[in-house]
Amino acid sequence: MTGPLDGGPREGRVPDGSPDSPRPAEAEATSTPVSPPTPAPQPTPPLTHKVLASLLGAWALSACSAEETALVEAHLTECGACADEALRLRDAVGLLHSERTLDLDPMLRARVLESCLGRRPARVPVPDWAAPYDAEAARLDALLRDFGDAEWHAPVRLKWFQEERSARRRTTVAGVIGHLMTVDGLVVGALGLDDPLGADAPADPTERTEIYWGATTEPPTRAVHGPWRDQSHTLIRTVSFAGRGVADLSVSYGDHFALPLRDALLDRAFECWIHGSDIAEAVHYPYAPPCGAHLHRMIDLAVRLLPSALAARRRGGLAGPARDLVAAGSPGRSLRLDVEGPGGGEWFVALDSPAAMGCRERSVAEVALDGVEFCQLVAGHIPPEEAAAGQDGDREAIRDVLYAAAAMSRL
């Protein structure tokens, strides 16, 4: 019998050299299965400029994934255009607070859209109430465009009605454009833009013009054309993108009166046309009146201001006394104004109370005249005695209204 320590075979073992003994390679193969080789990871293709630019909005709102954020921020170090856009978007995101509303500032929309248009020009949607000024400024600019030095220094006589008689002031074509630019500055200042005369300039139109004319010893030259044109473009651009509330901003004319911006810009359109006619007459150029729709608005503004002008003359002892004062908004004694030609129509002017409502039922007089002639009267270019083509009714009322219309003119 053999024991466990002698050299005999042990239980559970196959003697060396046995056909059933596994070879080393076979033993390794049976114990660990071999996996196929893993392919090397392919690099992610870089994103194009167009794709990265499209992610800027999401990046500004912190809505990108970590990988997208890293790619965008790496791109911003290499692309100046995208870096500028990213800064603008981040600034815009800072305005998006729930406790604030963008409608509080009527100029915010103008600033945002101005920045956009600075990068990609687009057609400016001019509001309907600013269209007359846009048209008249463009017409005057077209007239001035081909002027030589001789035309810019051509003498121009400005005319208006003052102290019951016609007043005149001599200047040049360049001086007229400087006058328009400085008085347009009243609207510029109301919009929060830079006043051409500075922040401390007076609001009285005549004082502003005298300051401009007296600022230099040399007469104005054609160099005034560029600043006036740029200012008119800025006005139109600003009001076009400022939103609905900007039309009601108040524009002060000093101690004289104040107008909402929509009417102030209409007044500037009227002055642009009148002084454009003065310039055209001085250099012997043809110059047509505004289109009928714009002329109608100018006449309507003048008629709306007539009761206040009549009341001012009455306070100065230049018009007959009020005969029938009524409450504001109530029908009052009226004059019927029948304006003929393009832009014409029918208006009723309250005679006694500035806030009264003019009406047909209480009409005591009638005046008929041409639309352009009425505007020339309001501009002080023709005397009141020569303005009306037809008159009927209360003679005192007719005279008071015609003189009040002329008294609205100014330098």
Side-chain angles (χ1 to χ4, degrees), residues 270-315:
F270 177 83
E271 292 291 317
C272 204
W273 161 46
I274 292 296
H275 289 317
S277 298
D278 293 337
I279 291 172
E281 182 181 352
V283 297
H284 309 292
Y285 269 57
Y287 205 73
C291 70
H294 294 173
L295 189 61
H296 181 87
R297 295 185 187 184
M298 296 176 188
I299 295 171
D300 181 72
L301 174 61
V303 172
R304 286 189 280 121
L305 296 176
L306 262 176
S308 295
L310 182 56
R313 285 180 56 81
R314 185 173 288 126
R315 288 192 298 270

Side-chain angles (χ1 to χ4, degrees), residues 140 142-156 171-177 220-225 275 278-285:
L140 181 54
L143 173 67
L144 300 172
R145 194 168 299 156
D146 297 327
F147 277 13
D149 290 338
E151 284 93 352
W152 280 100
H153 293 288
V156 179
T171 184
T172 63
V173 170
V176 174
I177 299 303
T221 66
R222 66 186 306 155
V224 73
H225 183 203
H275 289 317
D278 293 337
I279 291 172
E281 182 181 352
V283 297
H284 309 292
Y285 269 57

Side-chain angles (χ1 to χ4, degrees), residues 287-364:
Y287 205 73
C291 70
H294 294 173
L295 189 61
H296 181 87
R297 295 185 187 184
M298 296 176 188
I299 295 171
D300 181 72
L301 174 61
V303 172
R304 286 189 280 121
L305 296 176
L306 262 176
S308 295
L310 182 56
R313 285 180 56 81
R314 185 173 288 126
R315 288 192 298 270
L318 301 176
R323 298 185 183 179
D324 186 16
L325 295 175
V326 298
S330 300
R333 202 168 60 99
S334 308
L335 177 140
R336 179 176 179 265
L337 184 63
D338 187 13
V339 180
E340 302 169 348
E346 181 184 72
W347 286 268
F348 292 91
V349 182
L351 294 172
D352 299 317
S353 303
M357 180 182 67
C359 62
R360 183 185 304 275
E361 292 73 16
R362 301 209 57 190
S363 177
V364 298

Side-chain angles (χ1 to χ4, degrees), residues 210-247:
E210 296 292 355
I211 289 173
Y212 174 80
W213 284 345
T216 59
T217 56
E218 299 294 329
T221 66
R222 66 186 306 155
V224 73
H225 183 203
W228 168 79
R229 180 181 55 204
D230 292 344
Q231 180 177 266
S232 66
H233 289 176
T234 300
L235 275 177
I236 291 298
R237 186 184 182 93
T238 302
V239 301
S240 297
F241 293 115
R244 294 186 297 271
V246 74

